[in-house]
Amino acid sequence: MKLLYFALLFLIQTSAFAQVKLARLFSDHVVLQRQKPIPVWGWAKAGEKVKVNLAGQSVDVKADKSGRWMATFKALEAGGPHILSVAAKSGNVTVNDVLIGEVWLCSGQSNMQWPVAAARDFEKEKQNADFPQIRHFHVDRQVSLSPETDLKTGEWEIASSETVGDFTAIGFFFAREINQKLHIPVGILHSSWGGSQIEGWISKEAMLASNELNAYAQTMPKTWEEADQVMDVKLREQLFKSATITPTAEGENKYISGSANFQTWQKTADAVGQWDWKGLMGFRGTGYMAKEIELTGDFISKQSVLSIPENDSPNRIYVNGKLIYEGVSKGVRKIEIPANTWKAGKNQLVIRLGNMVGNSWFGPGLIGSANDLYLEVDQQKTSIGKDWYLMPSFTEKHEYAHLMNNVGTSIYNAMIVPLIPFAIRGTLWYQGETNAPRAFQYRQSFPMLINDWRKLWNDEFSFYWVQLSSFGNENSSNEGSSWSELREAQNMTLSLPKTGMAVTTDIGNPKDIHPTNKQDVAHRLAANALKLDYGQNIPYASPLFERAEFHDGKAIVSFKNAENGLTVIDKYGYLKGFEIAGADKVFHYAAAQIIDGKVIVSHPKVTTPVAVRYGWSDAPEDANLFNTDGFPASAFRSDDWAGKTDHVKFK
């Protein structure tokens, strides 16, 4: 009887494993690309015959040795709903409510990942979100060291006030404009990951074929154990300025001595939160948090209370080398500290902690509110939430979470390969913030990604991106700007065919890397698509630097995409954001004005100018040149002098 049971169980499992199935992308409510051949694929028993039906077409195919099969339907016009059905000896599959329309792949990092629920005017937008012809598929964030065959999760969702909050904001606002202008279905295929670097999205084959990333591709980790070793070396190099330095147990014991030197530690402005976002990406294990606290004499003789936000791993807390707390607890801790524990002047507070237990994904760090990190004496609270130092323990057991930037190509393997060759009209891309420290190399890596994806899809589809917005300081050209250098690389990539760009420096937020105005960003991307893909006669592009001529102590700057004229957005009519330099390479903020469709730039201290720049700053808030069509001019420089990132390479 037992043998019969196991035999039946084996047959059931074998049958389920070999039963005909579709790739996860082909599920209810899917939108398929119009006017292009439509590939549909899945799996069955090796060698099994499969019949696939869609919109009156029927295709017979045969599964290969691995069980994979693919059917390609002739191009269809927009419409539906249709039924996609698959029949084979091993079973049948039916997909309902299939629409034919426009499909756009939305990819990049956090500003593409940014959901409608966190965008500007969400409550208002939610009331204008019922669009049954707009569907969204969210690709779960995963990494893999080898190409995956299919997605593990995901489904198509219909846009409504109940669902739209989780959609990519840029993707939805783009799709809504396309749908309203063209009156056809739009599918948003959303595959993005906050904080990701571009190298994670590029195939190993493309890296191997490039001079820029070939060396990395040849030596990249093949296992996660190897990846951990690489991450460990990088982290030690980051902290100690040398990968050969490995702390000893004796050295780490000095961290709690009361006289430690924190200068090599990772500094963080805000103590609460994951270490992943404080410069210690992926580290999982034991670590130390330290702060130097300056106290006056009248504080010393009184009992105090130290309030610490939650970390539910075994904790030890030291003040000036003395252990004042040891234990495990959940929630905010209020630790009573006896009088005379602190001293007048500088004190060292050190917390030894590990990974969060209740929130295992969190890793080391404090969770909760910065308001819960304070010292209290006589019911007077003093915040100590700012300016802490972090240091991982390298002598104790540790590892690294499998995150987006551990290994190049690993996002591509898990989040792009399973999408190929799903037919799309094009890609919307918002990424580059993480690559700003390697902006010069982005001149190579960004075109590499575009060419790579087009080759893999065997389709020169449209590719539009968002130029980096404004974030950080309004520094001058004399200080340099890595964000400007990355914007320059994005400008240069427009040399590829069927590309376009949305300039957004005027709608950013210098104090927030995630500006919430995603509506205008999406509109500028949609303008590219409506003009270049859908043939509408509309303005769509920002002014781009064309050339600079230097005469009589002035720079005369000409622009592309300014056929209808240039204008200034300023209530006083002043044109700002320009700098000019002579052969000494010293830049001066310059006077500028629009004359006969060109910009004339000058400064009294630069009698013989040789270079002119505009908006060359991480956050060019003053830049206010637009074309009369309403698009802001892109930042530029006329020179090719050495920048901040010329020699920084991906490792």
Side-chain angles (χ1 to χ4, degrees), residues 14 29 35 69 78 88 134 137 167 221 279 349 364 369 377 408 410 414 454 483 491 511 527 550-551 582 599 617 645:
T14 305
H29 317 306
Q35 300 173 340
W69 55 264
I134 296 177
F137 187 102
F167 288 18
L349 170 64
S369 171
V377 174
S410 57
R454 287 173 169 176
W483 278 51
N491 283 343
K511 294 184 172 135
F550 300 95
H551 302 295
V599 174
S617 167
T645 68

Side-chain angles (χ1 to χ4, degrees), residues 103-149:
V103 182
W104 287 86
L105 171 60
C106 296
S107 190
Q109 57 181 107
S110 55
N111 274 304
M112 183 61 80
Q113 185 181 322
W114 202 252
V116 175
R120 186 187 67 182
D121 299 330
F122 171 55
E123 291 304 319
K124 177 182 173 183
E125 295 294 359
K126 195 162 62 168
Q127 304 310 312
N128 187 26
D130 290 324
F131 288 86
Q133 286 196 326
I134 296 177
R135 282 90 187 276
H136 178 276
F137 187 102
H138 177 249
V139 177
D140 191 26
R141 290 181 287 280
Q142 300 285 338
V143 288
S144 176
L145 296 181
S146 59
E148 296 288 334
T149 56

Side-chain angles (χ1 to χ4, degrees), residues 465-479:
W465 59 87
V466 182
Q467 190 182 59
L468 285 194
S469 196
S470 298
F471 176 69
N473 299 319
E474 189 164 15
N475 39 323
S476 75
S477 285
N478 296 318
E479 300 167 80

Side-chain angles (χ1 to χ4, degrees), residues 66-205:
S66 70
R68 183 182 170 96
W69 55 264
M70 179 175 291
T72 302
F73 292 96
K74 294 177 181 177
L76 295 167
E77 289 301 321
H82 302 290
I83 293 174
L84 172 64
S85 64
V86 181
K89 206 168 184 179
S90 61
N92 302 296
V93 183
T94 301
V95 177
N96 297 301
D97 189 28
V98 177
L99 298 183
I100 310 298
E102 291 297 298
V103 182
W104 287 86
L105 171 60
C106 296
S107 190
Q109 57 181 107
S110 55
N111 274 304
M112 183 61 80
Q113 185 181 322
W114 202 252
V116 175
R120 186 187 67 182
D121 299 330
F122 171 55
E123 291 304 319
K124 177 182 173 183
E125 295 294 359
K126 195 162 62 168
Q127 304 310 312
N128 187 26
D130 290 324
F131 288 86
Q133 286 196 326
I134 296 177
R135 282 90 187 276
H136 178 276
F137 187 102
H138 177 249
V139 177
D140 191 26
R141 290 181 287 280
Q142 300 285 338
V143 288
S144 176
L145 296 181
S146 59
E148 296 288 334
T149 56
D150 197 13
L151 301 171
K152 295 179 175 65
T153 61
E155 59 186 2
W156 288 92
E157 289 192 284
I158 299 172
S160 70
S161 58
E162 288 75 30
T163 63
V164 76
D166 292 330
F167 288 18
T168 160
I170 286 175
F172 171 70
F173 296 135
F174 173 91
R176 186 172 66 184
E177 183 165 351
I178 299 301
N179 177 258
Q180 290 177 322
K181 297 281 176 66
L182 303 183
H183 306 291
I184 59 174
V186 183
I188 310 163
L189 183 51
H190 175 208
S191 182
S192 67
W193 197 330
S196 60
Q197 57 196 3
I198 197 170
E199 293 84 0
W201 296 96
I202 301 172
S203 74
K204 182 177 180 180
E205 291 71 26

